[in-house]
Amino acid sequence: MSTQENLLFIGLPGSGKTTFLAALWHVLTDKGSPTSLRLANLSGDRAYLNQIAREWRECSQVPRTNLQTEQVVVLHLDGVGFGAFDLSIPDLAGEAFKLQLSDRRMSHSHDSFIQGASGVVLFLHPDVKKGTQLAMARRLEANLSGAPSAADTPNNQVANEWSPDLLPTQVQLVELLQLMLERASQKLRIAVVVSAWDLVDELGEPEEIIAKELPLLQQFLETNHDTFEYSVFGVSAQGGDVTVAEEKQMLLDLEDAVDRIKVRHQHCTHKDITKPLAWLLEGT
Amino acid sequence: MAEAADDEVQETEPADEESAEFVELFSGAALGSKETGAITTRSRTHLVVFAGAEGSGKTTLVTSIYERLSDGPFAGFKFAGSRSLLGFEEICHLNRLASGATQPDTQRTRLTPDTKYYHLSLRPAETPVERREVLLSAMSGELFRMARDSKEDTQRLTFLRRADTLVVLVDGQRLSTKASRTNAQADAADILESVLDTNMIGSNCRVEIAFSKLDCITEAGQAAIDFAERAQTKLEGRFRERVPGISFCCIAARPNTPLIPSDGGLAAAFSSWMTAASPRDDHQGARPTRLPATREFTKFGWRHELSRKLT
């Protein structure tokens, strides 16, 4: 009899949750590279995982999960130090998390996933929406020779009424974590995954990207050690921008599709996409 | 641990089905008095109240504290959470490019029956010990105008009794023009006088008079700077005996000129507001507990630099 572990993937739409899952399923079934976690056996309905993994192998954009196609994936795994266990991961739509922010309610099923989770993967795409301040922009303009001062600009018309849709990415992510922690029943581990890592890997370590681009989130992560532990990973699951023909071809030309994967953690780069999950499970 | 499920993939119920039931989440908006109970009953909470006439910059101060934290550790504190993130974001909207506006502005605090509070959970940046729960409240200018004019209205401001810090704003923009400067000073003085006369603040409440919009004062030139200094002297003379620990500061929460450092003195001021005051003793004529080392305008060092640049 296997034991059960429950992890939760959370993130905004397009943050890379399903692409990660697709690459993970390929790596687990391919068994061609060393990984911290391994697939113990195959059973049950694998149609969804096979479908998204097929898209991933063809370097196609993995379809986003929507509210109608949400799935709970159960993986039968083992690994050194872990023994055999079944890992349950709900593949929840990013749209559901957006609705939590605007409607201020979550479904009972989401709530029960949180209650049962021992670890969480927070996905964030490095292309963030910033809440750029007008006052700051004006100061920068004023430093430029010949730029008009704020007082010289007439007609301060407000084009957009405020709504939660305008929340900067860092605020959305902090709020998602707060909503989740409010409902969590135990101290959690949180693996923060900076997805599409290949886009920003030259700009520094994943922790540095968060500190620079999402300083409110960075502070929140650092100051809540009594509520959760966290570790930051940079993960490139696709390996490049598959919407650019040349990049897609370059990825398809690789001898082994696993070579597309990059996982950056604690100043080392790996191909083992199971690392964030293994880190979460180490704490259980 | 529970026994595992057999299937690799299980369908979940569509989240938008009418039959789906939901768990209500906290609103994230500015908090009413009742909602603050979720914070104040759990932890010692520091309440900072901003008082001042309409347009004196109370809400801008609240937004600026949040905006500075959004950019990184501020005034020796790191952000550790908030029950009113959406409330903060809403009042910041008119200072965001996403608003479509061309000039920074702040939504005026509306007169509502219930006081609104903005919550911050903070930890000291250097020694991450106990977290500090903070509530910021910007009272509508209309309410304070009513309080200034009526003892009965002042007595309705019962939330003031819970304040750990009361910041009374002197509107620097009005101080910078001759027609309005005397009233700007008088408005702030009258508000504080009303609060003291009705015993609405506790003996442990820190009282600070803040000259807001320092950029307007400095841009208006030497005459405005001199008037502000005289105003500080007058206010000090008027209130020192009743509030021995009264202090003064100058702030440009959102400076619109590169002549003033972008910090605008807010970090030092916020740090002071977060410090507990020594108990006041109005009846025994206690001596001042904290006298400014020097005049605030001079202390910032902007006056002389600015004077040079203006001439």
Side-chain angles (χ1 to χ4, degrees):
Chain A
M1 188 181 295
S2 300
T3 56
Q4 170 97 36
E5 296 287 353
N6 300 303
L7 299 182
L8 188 62
F9 285 9
I10 68 172
L12 299 169
S15 57
K17 299 183 290 298
T18 305
T19 304
F20 181 95
L21 197 57
L24 175 70
W25 185 240
H26 169 80
V27 168
L28 290 173
T29 52
D30 181 66
K31 298 183 178 177
S33 58
T35 51
S36 304
L37 303 176
R38 294 183 300 268
L39 195 63
N41 58 67
L42 291 171
S43 66
D45 180 3
R46 302 184 298 277
Y48 174 69
L49 289 167
N50 286 336
Q51 178 204 333
I52 59 175
R54 192 175 301 116
E55 302 279 356
W56 181 85
R57 292 184 193 107
E58 292 171 357
C59 294
S60 300
Q61 279 188 293
V62 178
R64 286 184 192 172
T65 309
N66 60 44
L67 293 171
Q68 276 69 44
T69 60
E70 289 187 337
Q71 309 281 338
V72 179
V73 172
V74 182
L75 304 171
H76 306 292
L77 302 175
D78 65 23
V80 176
F82 297 106
F85 64 97
D86 289 354
L87 179 60
S88 172
I89 307 171
D91 186 20
L92 304 177
E95 196 59 36
F97 296 108
K98 289 278 280 186
L99 287 172
Q100 287 176 16
L101 296 174
S102 56
D103 294 359
R104 312 306 293 186
R105 59 184 192 170
M106 73 168 67
S107 69
H108 275 298
S109 62
H110 283 212
D111 187 43
S112 61
F113 292 142
I114 293 171
Q115 305 269 347
S118 55
V120 173
V121 186
L122 172 67
F123 287 87
L124 66 95
H125 193 283
D127 184 14
V128 301
K129 178 168 71 179
K130 292 193 172 184
T132 306
Q133 296 169 25
L134 269 170
M136 196 72 77
R138 284 292 176 194
R139 280 181 71 87
L140 289 172
E141 282 179 10
N143 284 330
L144 299 173
S145 170
S149 72
D152 297 333
T153 310
N155 301 327
N156 190 34
Q157 292 177 343
V158 176
N160 306 311
E161 290 299 311
W162 182 83
S163 82
D165 291 338
L166 295 175
L167 290 176
T169 303
Q170 64 172 353
V171 177
Q172 293 186 54
L173 295 176
V174 168
E175 192 71 336
L176 275 186
L177 287 175
Q178 291 194 135
L179 294 176
M180 183 192 71
L181 293 167
E182 175 94 349
R183 305 297 306 171
S185 56
Q186 58 183 316
K187 185 171 181 176
L188 292 172
R189 280 197 149 197
I190 300 177
V192 182
V193 167
V194 180
S195 61
W197 177 241
D198 49 286
L199 296 178
V200 290
D201 59 353
E202 290 177 354
L203 302 179
E205 295 293 332
E207 294 87 347
E208 293 170 320
I209 302 296
I210 293 178
K212 182 170 179 290
E213 300 295 324
L214 306 152
L216 196 75
L217 175 65
Q218 172 70 12
Q219 294 173 77
F220 185 79
L221 293 170
E222 287 175 354
T223 52
N224 282 283
H225 38 79
D226 47 353
T227 316
F228 60 82
E229 291 176 72
Y230 80 100
S231 192
V232 181
F233 299 78
V235 174
S236 176
Q238 278 287 23
D241 186 352
V242 295
T243 63
V244 178
E246 295 80 18
E247 279 198 52
K248 180 173 179 173
Q249 190 55 52
M250 202 170 65
L251 295 170
L252 288 169
D253 288 343
L254 291 172
E255 292 287 325
D256 189 341
V258 172
D259 291 340
R260 288 160 56 187
I261 296 170
K262 274 187 203 166
V263 177
R264 184 78 177 166
H265 185 227
Q266 294 177 345
H267 308 286
C268 295
T269 303
H270 314 264
K271 291 179 193 171
D272 179 6
I273 200 166
T274 70
K275 274 206 172 290
L277 309 186
W279 179 83
L280 288 175
L281 295 168
E282 281 168 13
T284 60
Chain B
M1 287 183 183
E3 193 175 335
D6 284 338
D7 292 340
E8 295 281 347
V9 178
Q10 303 160 352
E11 292 283 344
T12 62
E13 295 214 352
D16 59 350
E17 272 192 11
E18 282 186 16
S19 60
E21 293 179 9
F22 293 92
V23 176
E24 296 296 323
L25 305 168
F26 65 90
S27 76
L31 306 170
S33 302
K34 281 185 183 171
E35 294 161 301
T36 60
I39 301 154
T40 56
T41 54
R42 273 191 227 164
S43 316
R44 167 88 179 90
T45 306
H46 195 88
L47 172 60
V48 181
V49 176
F50 297 100
E54 290 160 86
S56 58
K58 302 178 295 294
T59 308
T60 302
L61 270 179
V62 175
T63 64
S64 295
I65 290 165
Y66 170 70
E67 283 173 338
R68 306 291 167 89
L69 274 169
S70 297
D71 289 339
F74 169 66
F77 293 103
K78 284 184 178 177
F79 172 84
S82 169
R83 300 279 296 188
S84 50
L85 268 186
L86 273 66
F88 275 119
E89 285 292 322
E90 187 171 7
I91 57 172
C92 288
H93 180 58
L94 299 183
N95 185 32
R96 293 285 170 80
L97 283 179
S99 71
T102 52
Q103 296 173 41
D105 200 353
T106 304
Q107 180 183 302
R108 296 280 170 261
T109 307
R110 298 186 193 97
L111 181 60
T112 53
D114 195 15
T115 308
K116 293 294 178 194
Y117 300 88
Y118 296 86
H119 169 239
L120 286 172
S121 189
L122 303 172
R123 278 197 199 266
E126 298 305 321
T127 51
V129 284
E130 287 295 297
R131 63 174 69 212
R132 302 275 306 271
E133 304 299 335
V134 187
L135 290 172
L136 306 174
S137 184
M139 289 298 302
S140 84
E142 284 173 80
L143 198 56
F144 271 104
R145 180 160 45 80
M146 288 158 62
R148 182 198 60 195
D149 296 341
S150 155
K151 184 176 176 180
E152 286 71 28
D153 282 330
T154 308
Q155 286 170 329
R156 293 196 187 105
L157 305 177
T158 51
F159 70 98
L160 280 175
R161 293 193 194 282
R162 294 170 49 205
D164 297 280
T165 299
L166 174 66
V167 182
V168 181
L169 297 185
V170 185
D171 186 343
Q173 189 168 19
R174 292 172 66 207
L175 214 58
S176 63
T177 59
K178 285 183 179 174
S180 56
R181 63 189 188 183
T182 306
N183 271 330
Q185 177 196 321
D187 281 348
D190 291 349
I191 285 167
L192 183 54
E193 190 95 61
S194 291
V195 168
L196 293 171
D197 284 352
T198 48
N199 294 314
M200 292 305 290
I201 54 172
S203 60
N204 288 321
C205 180
R206 172 179 294 284
V207 178
E208 183 147 299
I209 294 181
F211 291 82
S212 65
K213 306 175 193 174
L214 184 61
D215 45 345
C216 294
I217 300 173
T218 50
E219 277 194 323
Q222 197 58 49
I225 294 170
D226 290 343
F227 184 86
E229 286 200 348
R230 286 197 300 276
Q232 177 174 329
T233 305
K234 278 188 182 176
L235 290 166
E236 193 167 355
R238 183 167 166 183
F239 292 107
R240 176 65 71 191
E241 197 168 325
R242 298 184 73 182
V243 190
I246 194 168
S247 54
F248 295 83
C249 69
C250 309
I251 300 162
R254 197 180 279 165
N256 63 10
T257 166
L259 294 174
I260 286 185
S262 59
D263 167 68
L266 188 55
F270 184 68
S271 185
S272 159
W273 301 336
M274 289 293 291
T275 309
S278 303
R280 236 172 347 110
D281 188 341
D282 293 342
H283 305 293
Q284 296 178 22
R287 297 306 307 154
T289 52
R290 189 171 79 95
L291 278 168
T294 179
R295 295 254 175 107
E296 295 290 333
F297 290 96
T298 309
K299 193 169 76 178
F300 279 106
W302 302 337
R303 174 185 178 178
H304 303 300
E305 186 188 357
L306 186 80
S307 300
R308 269 205 318 276
K309 288 178 180 173
L310 289 175
T311 51

